[in-house]
Amino acid sequence: MSTYQIKLEGDILKVGFGATLATGDQIVRDADTRLNEMIASRELPGGSLIKINGRTSVLVSQVLAAKLSKLYEVIALFDPKIGDKGLDRYVVTISNNPEYKVGDILDVVRTKQQSNIKVVLCGFANTGKTCFRDGLKQALLQIPNAPESYIISGCPDGDGSWYGETARRDLDLAQTLKAEYKAGFTPEFARLKAQEVKGINTPIFVFDVGGKISPENRLIMAEATHAVILVKNETEIAPWQELCESLNLQIVAIIFSDYYGTNDVIHSEMSPLKGSVHRLQRGENVAERPIVQALANLLVNKYRG
């Protein structure tokens, strides 16, 4: 199974990582192979403009640019952070056409006007939100024909969406990078993060927030539509539940983080999903945990209606 998926839909090249975790060298080889197949079969005929929509890494973007720039005059990449209601926005990154300049923004009307869902993962500190978020990211990728999803960190603690995979390969490197990326949770950070969350219109968008009930988290969470609450015990539920309800967020799951547990427990698969997830340990792949997969399926079904 390829670790990187590429297909052409109209004039948009849809790209994304496969469900199988792999190192960068394998991913770029798979991307290169797929592009060569598409070029040989004339599935990629070349022309003036190609738009790329989906997940890319720095490594993959180099392969895409090298191959596509020989076929197309202009390459533009989708930027989920500058979307608008009813529009997808693409930024021109390569141009050999005087009608386009690098940095130009192309507005494309979405063919599918279905409402997206924005899910905030919230809870107090040390519940394992980062590990859970990374597992949910992979679980969504494993669902066949799932709508596109996008996962980011909504707090300045250095735990980007890269952290889990990096920690599995090199925990020391991951911890070093986290320390370098860590920033202050200021009102300015919250304002900018809320603006970013508001602009993202990927079908399923998930972000986590810091482990405190604060004005900053309230500002960021207000841009969500749904919430998942992760707690260590019963007493932690009410404060976050009250905050979510005050922001009119639909709570889709309340999950207990059982660090010393040996298996997941699912009490109810209906929304809100209820149960427990065991051992959210940094560096471990939790995508196969039953409750993580149950939540991924719940979000997909909720988006599809």
Side-chain angles (χ1 to χ4, degrees):
M1 180 181 293
S2 176
T3 60
Y4 201 73
Q5 310 296 321
I6 306 174
K7 62 180 178 179
L8 188 65
E9 296 183 1
D11 63 348
I12 298 176
L13 192 68
K14 292 293 186 74
V15 301
F17 296 97
T20 304
L21 291 175
T23 54
D25 58 319
Q26 182 60 55
I27 293 172
V28 296
R29 281 197 293 268
D30 286 350
D32 184 69
T33 297
R34 175 59 180 146
L35 286 169
N36 287 337
E37 292 172 351
M38 296 176 75
I39 293 169
S41 66
R42 300 289 296 171
E43 188 178 350
L44 282 174
S48 174
L49 170 66
I50 183 98
K51 297 187 286 291
I52 302 173
N53 188 317
R55 296 185 185 87
T56 63
S57 64
V58 174
L59 296 176
V60 171
S61 69
Q62 296 291 305
V63 177
L64 291 168
K67 295 288 185 180
L68 297 175
S69 61
K70 296 177 182 178
L71 298 174
Y72 296 89
E73 295 176 347
V74 181
I75 299 174
L77 269 68
F78 172 63
D79 188 342
K81 297 181 180 180
I82 59 172
D84 198 0
K85 188 173 183 180
L87 292 176
D88 284 336
R89 286 182 167 157
Y90 293 77
V91 179
V92 174
T93 57
I94 294 176
S95 178
N96 292 301
N97 185 319
E99 294 184 8
Y100 298 89
K101 295 180 180 179
V102 171
D104 282 354
I105 295 176
L106 311 179
D107 289 345
V108 178
V109 177
R110 291 196 196 101
T111 56
K112 186 175 183 178
Q113 296 296 325
Q114 187 170 346
S115 297
N116 61 326
I117 60 175
K118 299 185 179 185
V119 185
V120 57
L121 175 58
C122 59
F124 290 114
N126 301 317
T127 53
K129 293 191 297 293
T130 299
C131 298
F132 192 91
R133 181 197 68 203
D134 291 343
L136 181 60
K137 173 183 176 180
Q138 294 301 324
L140 285 166
L141 286 172
Q142 292 171 6
I143 299 175
N145 303 313
E148 292 180 49
S149 56
Y150 186 54
I151 290 86
I152 67 169
S153 175
C155 50
D157 61 3
D159 280 341
S161 59
W162 52 269
Y163 186 88
E165 187 173 348
T166 304
R168 283 192 290 275
R169 295 170 183 161
D170 190 332
L171 183 58
D172 290 339
L173 174 61
Q175 291 175 337
T176 299
L177 292 174
K178 175 181 176 178
E180 292 177 356
Y181 296 158
K182 190 169 184 177
F185 205 154
T186 63
E188 177 65 9
F189 171 87
R191 185 186 66 79
L192 292 174
K193 185 60 66 172
Q195 182 178 340
E196 178 182 342
V197 170
K198 182 178 181 179
I200 294 173
N201 289 290
T202 305
I204 298 176
F205 170 46
V206 180
F207 64 98
D208 62 346
V209 290
K212 296 181 179 179
I213 295 178
S214 65
E216 290 81 9
N217 271 340
R218 173 180 282 273
L219 181 65
I220 298 170
M221 290 173 61
E223 300 300 335
T225 59
H226 298 74
V228 172
I229 301 174
L230 190 64
V231 298
K232 296 189 295 293
N233 56 63
E234 288 276 356
T235 64
E236 294 184 349
I237 297 175
W240 289 100
Q241 191 168 13
E242 290 171 5
L243 175 58
C244 292
E245 290 174 352
S246 72
L247 296 173
N248 295 318
L249 305 183
Q250 181 183 344
I251 298 173
V252 293
I254 299 174
I255 299 171
F256 287 86
S257 178
D258 182 8
Y259 183 80
Y260 296 103
T262 57
N263 59 277
D264 286 9
V265 177
I266 298 177
H267 298 302
S268 170
E269 293 192 37
M270 302 293 291
S271 183
L273 172 70
K274 293 183 179 180
S276 65
V277 60
H278 74 284
R279 194 171 172 77
L280 293 175
Q281 172 69 36
R282 293 183 183 278
E284 289 192 11
N285 178 16
V286 303
E288 301 297 327
R289 306 284 170 84
I291 203 158
V292 175
Q293 293 195 340
L295 178 59
N297 281 288
L298 178 63
L299 295 180
V300 168
N301 291 334
K302 188 168 288 292
Y303 174 76
R304 288 173 173 166

